[in-house]
Amino acid sequence: MTMRRAILGGSAFEEQIGYARAVVDGDQVHVSGTTGFDYATMTISDDVVEQAEQCLRNIGAALAEAGCGFPDVVRVRYLLPERADFEPCWPVLRRRFGEIRPAATMLVCGLADPRMKIEIEVYARRPATV
């Protein structure tokens, strides 16, 4: 029987909206769209690159709690309100995903809060336990 487990990241949005930062379902880990908020302080930088870095810190924490890490990511989706903001983030994203090469998509769309300049979601596969 597959065990499903929700991972909460401490965001006020999780409670207000009714979702989990990530869901572990067997060997699959689904990380919700994650923004650049520092959930401990509920603050967010005005800089898109700093937001991308914080998104990845938040995602990394969820992956670690799920028993995996960035090398286990198989799919990533980037959501940005402004297409021009994507390229400045490439060096940050390349540091995390350049060797892993997950399948990736970038979409231009509105986000829930006008302070948000990037949102990232990932799907990972947990390594088999020995």
Side-chain angles (χ1 to χ4, degrees), residues 94-110:
R94 187 173 31 254
R95 279 194 300 274
R96 217 26 110 178
F97 298 115
E99 296 297 317
I100 302 162
R101 304 285 180 150
T105 302
M106 185 281 239
L107 298 169
V108 175
C109 61

Side-chain angles (χ1 to χ4, degrees), residues 98-127:
E99 296 297 317
I100 302 162
R101 304 285 180 150
T105 302
M106 185 281 239
L107 298 169
V108 175
C109 61
L111 299 179
D113 182 314
R115 296 172 293 174
M116 298 172 180
K117 296 184 179 191
I118 186 169
E119 186 170 321
I120 303 172
E121 66 180 28
V122 303
Y123 303 92
R125 183 169 302 236
R126 294 189 317 160

Side-chain angles (χ1 to χ4, degrees), residues 18-56:
Y19 71 96
R21 172 66 36 228
V23 173
V24 178
D25 187 14
D27 68 345
Q28 296 180 33
V29 180
H30 305 269
V31 181
S32 295
T34 302
T35 65
F37 272 95
D38 177 335
Y39 297 126
T41 61
M42 284 308 290
T43 59
I44 191 166
S45 170
D46 289 333
D47 181 73
V48 68
V49 174
E50 289 176 15
Q51 284 192 28
E53 290 169 343
Q54 184 64 48
C55 288
L56 294 172

